[in-house]
Amino acid sequence: MRESAVQRHDRLLALVRESGTARIADLATRLGVSPVTVRRDVEALTRKGLVDRAHGSVSWPRPRTGKPAAGGTAPVIGLLAPSATYYFSEVIHGAHEAAARAGARLVLRISDYRPAEDRARAEGLLAAGAEGLLVAPGWRGRADPAEHGGWLAELPVPVVLLEREADPGGPLAGLDRVSSDHGHGVLLALRHLVEQGHPAPLLVARTDSPTALAVRAGYDRALCALGLERPHPVIDAPVNRDPEGFEIGVQALWTAVTSGRASAALVHNDVDAIQLVQRLAELGVRVPGELALIAYDDEVAALADTPLTAVAPPKREVGRLAAELLLERLGRASGPVGAGGAGGGTGSAPRRHLTLLPRLRVRASCGAAGAVEATGATGATGREHS
């Protein structure tokens, strides 16, 4: 199977992290691609703050602001993420910014959604000198936390879970965590579509990530809160994982729309939503003409031919607050969490579960009047609702 850009970016980051600095030509050889491809990848990763670029080489970013901790030593915190691109690039960027402000060093390792390897990678971060860990386990299915998560509660350093929930009463329930309230994001999307005059919207969502599972669970709660009945079974249309399954999902949505049973849908995630819109257009169903559509994640939704209205989890803020909370546990920062500093606690404060609310960015795909696009340095955005 051909390697995706996301997978190549993760491999590139791992190579740079290992060596500290690497030449473009050497990276091209080790990745098996052209130097032009590597330069393009490095430019994209540099814009996200994940690497530093110099003439002919690329290096791991170092804190540029802040001051060393007391005693002249910079604290080291580790971050284990399932990916360094798409959703988690913003989480990593937020954590890196918070660490830099505190004069701390952030060390990153990637699991590539292999939960069985999370423990070894976390131990690698500890071996590299990490005094505390930010951890977004590479869980995919409902059974993964129980099967691959118990070791987190046994670690000898403070741990903050990122964008992950723990089973009530389970071994991870007492850990600090910072996450997005995806149920609230789903409610924002469904309420907006209903207010535009649509009957109960359909949901198109995968089953292979914690976010997808949270969106599915939030869908039923949102329907209940709005006094609606589920109009159709949740449609699974996984583009990359199962092309045949994607086509089956497209046909199910096409049938629901053309039969008049549905006129609106929420789709997780952006990539699936964009390709779904393209395929539906080939079948004669236009967005937003015949189908009002909202995507979930808002990573690339604004770049679609018809810019997609999207639910935007506060990814960068999740990373920032998690890093601040971890530094507080380590007693290495000052100021309250959420106010640009992490408090001067010694780790004895009560554990915290911080839940941040997503926003709804209204663009053209939902057919809402007044959805005006504005293009700036950070890309296209529309009206926001929270």
Side-chain angles (χ1 to χ4, degrees):
M1 181 181 295
R2 183 180 179 183
E3 182 181 47
S4 68
V6 169
Q7 293 169 324
R8 189 176 64 252
H9 287 178
D10 285 345
R11 285 207 297 140
L12 189 156
L13 286 167
L15 290 172
V16 175
R17 175 68 193 93
E18 288 175 5
S19 59
T21 300
R23 296 175 61 248
I24 296 292
D26 293 339
L27 288 171
T29 299
R30 297 186 67 178
L31 293 171
V33 297
S34 70
V36 172
T37 297
V38 173
R39 290 191 190 96
R40 186 167 59 244
D41 290 346
V42 167
E43 288 176 2
L45 295 172
T46 299
R47 287 195 298 270
K48 295 178 179 179
L50 298 177
V51 296
D52 290 335
R53 183 179 58 179
H55 294 295
S57 66
V58 57
S59 60
W60 197 250
R62 297 182 180 275
R64 296 178 174 82
T65 60
K67 55 185 179 181
T73 59
V76 178
I77 59 176
L79 196 165
L80 175 62
S83 170
T85 53
Y86 194 71
Y87 192 102
F88 276 96
S89 66
E90 284 292 293
V91 176
I92 294 167
H93 201 166
H96 181 255
E97 289 174 342
R101 278 196 300 272
R105 180 184 173 211
L106 182 71
V107 180
L108 175 68
R109 293 210 172 188
I110 307 300
S111 72
D112 196 28
Y113 286 97
R114 296 188 179 99
E117 298 180 11
D118 280 344
R119 183 169 192 165
R121 297 188 185 278
E123 290 172 348
L125 287 169
L126 297 180
E131 303 169 43
L133 297 180
L134 305 170
V135 181
W139 301 334
R140 284 187 175 275
R142 290 183 175 87
D144 282 346
E147 186 175 352
H148 300 292
W151 59 273
L152 281 163
E154 303 169 0
L155 288 171
V157 299
V159 176
V160 178
L161 281 178
L162 285 170
E163 290 290 29
R164 298 292 185 261
E165 298 292 328
D167 293 331
L172 307 186
L175 294 178
D176 289 310
R177 69 173 183 254
V178 183
S179 59
S180 301
D181 187 341
H182 297 302
H184 179 78
V186 172
L187 179 59
L188 287 178
L190 267 58
R191 178 186 291 147
H192 181 75
L193 291 169
V194 171
E195 289 176 348
Q196 297 301 312
H198 297 282
L202 275 63
L203 175 65
V204 181
R206 301 176 173 214
T207 59
D208 60 353
S209 76
T211 301
L213 295 175
V215 167
R216 282 174 168 255
Y219 176 63
D220 286 328
R221 294 197 300 270
L223 289 176
C224 181
L226 295 171
L228 303 172
E229 294 185 1
R230 184 189 284 198
H232 189 281
V234 176
I235 296 171
D236 187 3
V239 176
N240 297 324
R241 176 168 52 85
D242 180 6
E244 183 177 342
F246 173 72
E247 185 60 27
I248 292 173
V250 169
Q251 293 296 330
L253 183 55
W254 178 85
T255 299
V257 173
T258 56
S259 67
R261 289 188 288 116
S263 61
L266 171 65
V267 181
H268 177 273
N269 52 41
D270 289 6
V271 175
D272 287 4
I274 288 173
Q275 297 198 49
L276 194 67
V277 170
Q278 293 170 351
R279 183 70 183 106
L280 286 173
E282 295 171 354
L283 297 173
V285 171
R286 299 169 301 154
V287 171
E290 285 77 39
L291 177 69
L293 186 142
I294 296 179
Y296 200 101
D297 274 354
D298 201 32
E299 284 288 308
V300 293
L303 304 180
D305 288 348
T306 298
L308 303 181
T309 294
V311 177
K315 300 175 281 284
R316 185 174 297 206
E317 289 79 5
V318 166
R320 177 178 65 82
L321 288 172
E324 290 177 352
L325 179 53
L326 182 59
L327 287 164
E328 176 185 332
R329 293 297 178 205
L330 296 172
R332 306 300 279 266
S334 61
V337 169
T346 61
S348 59
R351 300 296 172 187
R352 269 166 280 178
H353 296 167
L354 303 180
T355 306
L356 309 186
L357 301 183
R359 294 179 180 273
L360 180 67
R361 291 176 176 158
V362 179
R363 303 188 180 100
S365 68
C366 62
V372 179
E373 290 299 307
T375 302
T378 57
T381 60
R383 294 185 292 116
E384 289 195 1
H385 297 263
S386 60

